[in-house]
Amino acid sequence: MKTRKRLGDLLQEAGLVTENHLNQALENKKEDQKLGDALLERGVITERQLIEVLEFQLGIPHVSLYQYPIDQYVLGYVSKEMAQQNYIMPLKVQDNALTIAMKNPMDYYIIDDLEMATGFSISPVIAAKDDILFAINKYYFKNDSKLPIETNTKNDDEAPVIQLLDQLLHTGIQLKASDIHIDPQEKNVNIRYRIDGRLQTEKIIPQQMQNALIARIKILANLNITETRLPQDGRIKTNVGETPVDLRISCLPTVHGEKIVIRILDLNNALMQLSELNFSEDNYKKYKQLITQPSGLVLLTGPTGSGKTSTLYASINQLNQENVNIITVEDPVEYQLDGINQVQVKSSIDLTFANGLRSILRQDPNIIMVGEIRDQETAEIAIRASLTGHLVFSTVHTNSAIDTVPRLIDMGIEPYLVVSSLSGIVAQRLVRKICRDCITERELTEMEKEIFNQNNMEADVVYYGKGCSSCHQQGYRSRIAVQEVLVVDERIKSMLLNNESIAEIRSYAKQQGMNFLIQDGLEKIKQGLTSMEEIMQVSINI
């Protein structure tokens, strides 16, 4: 008879958690969430610590599946659905025992089910969750790629295409990809996923599947399947497995056919709290003061994909109360929020940002969010709204917070209007976060010491990720934001009206203790959150 210990007891015996940690995790965990996942999510333990405890206490070995030679025929003993649902991967059969890699080798129900279903005794080994997901995608989906591709009969072709799209979406969710790129080439179609800001090819499908796959996506997104010469945009709201997702579809004609990009909005992880956005203590305090003012214009700036929308949503979600009327005008409405009136821009019927904004002002709003200021007309209405007692949020595309003011003036806005309306500007970038399971410290190079010195900072060590099974040998897992917050005070307003240079304004902001992107980044390097390489990529021009 197996001795069946509980995970909480093992972690306590190892001295990694206290009774208090366990109680808090049990109280706050989501429905159906396992205790181990709740502790990982709260940052109480790392995945490596969890694996080491299970390995030591249960005597179950840990394996890395990155280059593990998996016997193809064993896939037949465990269905793809069961593997995905329970984070398990069959590895080999030896001496009447089936070796199964498991995220949770203490899930005795699964072990019992597998023994009943296969007739083998089950020999569990431990593997990291992401490691198992990569193996499932690599081996099961490789098998599935041998789909029938005769396109003569509609019914024969439909099933494999539905199955293929389902696989692509499942993989995207599991890899935590923000976008799926379907890139037609001369002889085949590349499927690439953007994970933590980096594109990587995960699958290549035969060219014969291209038209059927694109047609399937277009049908689901209510797009015109006969129009292949013009770009089209659409949207699909669906469930992928248990996960509710909102998919943004963009079609672009290329020389080898239509390229499709699917933006994945995971509705389970859609809304972050302001406190989860990696603001430094000083920046968080400044930003909270900006958004709790009764009126004024607060702008977020940064390139596409720098998390501006997430910060905007977190901000208006924090301000969302029964006694406040919040209205947004967006293109597109990315997440639908309870209690907030959201307007979708439709250029085809002349519902532009500017026209939407004019109508919003007749709806007695307290707080207005404009998805993006793209032209003079939108900028003018947003500014006038902020001057007449409304708190207005919006985004612009500039390199830094201070560069935003001349950008608005370049749009043709009178400088005195810009100056009198602006309360503050936040510039933001996303950088990859070092994997907590393989974080390693090292000494600084001479160049790195020089960078710290130039910014009046010091560091004894910096950090990098060695690469492990948890992060699939990348050294990074997920992303964090680096920010700079410029509070537009009376002195800055006066400097702007007197046409003083950006360099002088920058120098004054620095004297007032403003941390620029590079300094916020260096601070996060010191804390072991990210690496020098990541920060240099986002602040090279700053």
Side-chain angles (χ1 to χ4, degrees):
M1 181 75 182
K2 296 170 188 166
T3 55
R4 301 194 164 184
K5 286 191 171 185
R6 292 185 310 170
L7 178 62
D9 297 336
L10 292 182
L11 292 169
Q12 267 187 288
E13 283 171 30
L16 288 175
V17 298
T18 61
E19 188 75 39
N20 193 29
H21 283 140
L22 294 175
N23 292 337
Q24 282 184 343
L26 288 166
E27 272 174 42
N28 299 314
K29 77 183 181 75
K30 298 167 192 157
E31 200 180 340
D32 297 333
Q33 191 180 31
K34 301 274 194 325
L35 174 64
D37 290 336
L39 290 166
L40 286 170
E41 199 175 89
R42 293 171 68 83
V44 178
I45 55 171
T46 68
E47 193 162 19
R48 176 184 272 186
Q49 286 174 327
L50 182 58
I51 287 170
E52 282 172 357
V53 165
L54 293 173
E55 190 174 16
F56 178 72
Q57 300 277 19
L58 302 176
I60 296 175
H62 164 230
V63 297
S64 169
L65 303 182
Y66 184 53
Q67 290 179 318
Y68 194 96
I70 294 173
D71 294 336
Q72 287 286 333
Y73 75 90
V74 300
L75 301 180
Y77 294 120
V78 178
S79 71
K80 181 179 70 187
E81 290 67 32
M82 189 177 190
Q84 285 177 317
Q85 212 170 343
N86 300 294
Y87 302 107
I88 58 177
M89 184 72 198
L91 302 181
K92 62 181 178 185
V93 173
Q94 196 173 7
D95 301 332
N96 206 36
L98 174 61
T99 302
I100 298 272
M102 303 181 72
K103 183 190 85 154
N104 178 14
M106 299 179 73
D107 197 334
Y108 301 113
Y109 293 111
I110 295 293
I111 292 173
D112 291 346
D113 285 352
L114 287 168
E115 285 182 343
M116 291 278 290
T118 63
F120 292 113
S121 67
I122 299 300
S123 171
V125 293
I126 311 166
K129 175 182 168 183
D130 282 359
D131 216 7
I132 292 171
L133 290 176
F134 272 98
I136 290 170
N137 290 318
K138 182 177 175 183
Y139 289 97
Y140 280 100
F141 287 178
K142 186 161 77 177
N143 267 14
D144 285 344
S145 67
K146 297 182 178 68
L147 297 165
I149 49 178
E150 297 80 19
T151 54
N152 302 336
T153 58
K154 188 184 173 204
N155 290 343
D156 282 352
D157 188 47
E158 231 170 40
V161 165
I162 292 168
Q163 198 183 350
L164 174 62
L165 180 59
D166 201 35
Q167 288 168 16
L168 299 184
L169 296 177
H170 262 289
T171 305
I173 295 291
Q174 289 174 344
L175 300 182
K176 295 187 174 64
S178 59
D179 302 87
I180 304 173
H181 288 239
I182 299 169
D183 292 339
Q185 305 298 310
E186 194 173 354
K187 295 183 178 163
N188 47 41
V189 180
N190 289 348
I191 308 294
R192 297 189 295 167
Y193 292 87
R194 189 174 292 282
I195 301 164
D196 293 340
R198 301 290 193 280
L199 270 174
Q200 57 193 58
T201 302
E202 284 292 323
K203 194 176 179 73
I204 294 171
I205 61 171
Q207 196 188 34
Q208 296 98 308
M209 296 291 286
Q210 179 180 331
N211 291 340
L213 177 61
I214 289 169
R216 173 72 186 156
I217 293 168
K218 282 183 165 183
I219 288 164
L220 290 174
N222 289 324
L223 297 177
N224 181 355
I225 61 169
T226 60
E227 179 55 80
T228 58
R229 298 163 304 158
L230 292 172
Q232 293 187 73
D233 292 314
R235 176 178 183 170
I236 304 168
K237 205 166 182 179
T238 184
N239 281 357
V240 177
E242 303 294 307
T243 310
V245 291
D246 208 340
L247 306 172
R248 292 296 142 76
I249 311 299
S250 171
C251 306
L252 183 72
T254 72
V255 288
H256 297 304
E258 287 177 280
K259 171 181 165 68
I260 304 251
V261 175
I262 303 173
R263 164 68 55 93
I264 302 173
L265 303 171
D266 181 347
L267 300 179
N268 276 343
N269 303 315
L271 266 187
M272 297 178 81
Q273 300 301 317
L274 212 49
S275 55
E276 297 172 336
L277 294 178
N278 315 110
F279 278 103
S280 68
E281 201 176 323
D282 185 46
N283 282 346
Y284 183 63
K285 198 170 147 191
K286 285 180 183 171
Y287 187 64
K288 266 195 101 174
Q289 283 175 341
L290 287 176
I291 68 169
T292 47
Q293 293 175 2
S295 65
L297 177 62
V298 177
L299 293 176
L300 272 92
T301 178
T304 304
S306 58
K308 298 188 298 293
T309 306
S310 297
T311 304
L312 275 181
Y313 276 134
S315 307
I316 60 171
N317 199 40
Q318 178 139 334
L319 300 168
N320 186 12
Q321 291 167 356
E322 195 185 336
N323 60 350
V324 176
N325 181 17
I326 301 177
I327 309 182
T328 75
V329 54
E330 304 168 62
D331 183 22
V333 172
E334 293 213 359
Y335 297 117
Q336 292 170 13
L337 309 176
D338 285 341
I340 290 171
N341 310 286
Q342 294 170 278
V343 177
Q344 166 75 54
V345 166
K346 286 195 182 75
S347 305
S348 57
I349 56 167
D350 207 28
L351 177 50
T352 59
F353 276 119
N355 290 339
L357 198 43
R358 279 196 191 91
S359 303
I360 282 172
L361 290 171
R362 295 193 283 274
Q363 290 278 322
D364 184 31
N366 300 95
I367 297 167
I368 300 167
M369 180 185 114
V370 185
E372 189 184 334
I373 291 179
R374 294 176 185 166
D375 53 45
Q376 179 184 354
E377 194 180 12
T378 310
E380 271 184 354
I381 304 166
I383 283 169
R384 291 188 189 280
S386 70
L387 290 172
T388 52
H390 304 95
L391 180 60
V392 181
F393 291 97
S394 192
T395 67
V396 272
H397 287 258
T398 58
N399 260 344
S400 70
I402 293 172
D403 287 338
T404 305
V405 179
R407 171 86 180 93
L408 290 172
I409 293 168
D410 286 347
M411 280 183 184
I413 312 296
E414 291 293 337
Y416 75 90
L417 280 177
V418 176
V419 167
S420 47
S421 63
L422 260 182
S423 301
I425 306 162
V426 179
Q428 182 169 301
R429 302 284 190 282
L430 290 178
V431 293
R432 290 186 295 172
K433 186 178 180 182
I434 296 173
C435 170
R436 289 177 63 211
D437 287 330
C438 61
I439 184 168
T440 311
E441 63 176 51
R442 64 169 174 80
E443 289 187 1
L444 285 80
T445 64
E446 288 306 313
M447 191 182 94
E448 288 166 344
K449 283 179 188 169
E450 183 59 32
I451 291 167
F452 273 100
N453 289 339
Q454 282 170 0
N455 289 281
N456 300 319
M457 294 170 76
E458 281 183 12
D460 299 324
V461 291
V462 289
Y463 301 87
Y464 71 100
K466 269 197 306 195
C468 65
S469 53
S470 300
C471 60
H472 200 57
Q473 312 303 323
Q474 296 292 311
Y476 297 97
R477 276 183 88 182
S478 79
R479 290 190 290 175
I480 59 166
V482 290
Q483 296 108 340
E484 61 184 27
V485 180
L486 174 69
V487 177
V488 182
D489 62 14
E490 292 306 317
R491 175 80 185 100
I492 290 178
K493 288 181 178 182
S494 153
M495 291 172 88
L496 288 166
L497 283 174
N498 292 324
N499 286 331
E500 293 191 37
S501 70
I502 293 297
E504 287 168 316
I505 297 170
R506 191 179 171 85
S507 172
Y508 169 74
K510 199 172 181 179
Q511 286 166 24
Q512 298 303 300
M514 176 179 167
N515 273 339
F516 296 99
L517 281 173
I518 180 82
Q519 282 127 16
D520 192 46
L522 291 174
E523 200 54 59
K524 282 167 180 162
I525 289 171
K526 283 176 71 171
Q527 292 166 20
L529 293 172
T530 190
S531 67
M532 185 63 84
E533 291 74 16
E534 286 293 298
I535 296 302
M536 287 300 98
Q537 282 184 24
V538 299
S539 56
I540 199 108
N541 301 317
I542 291 161

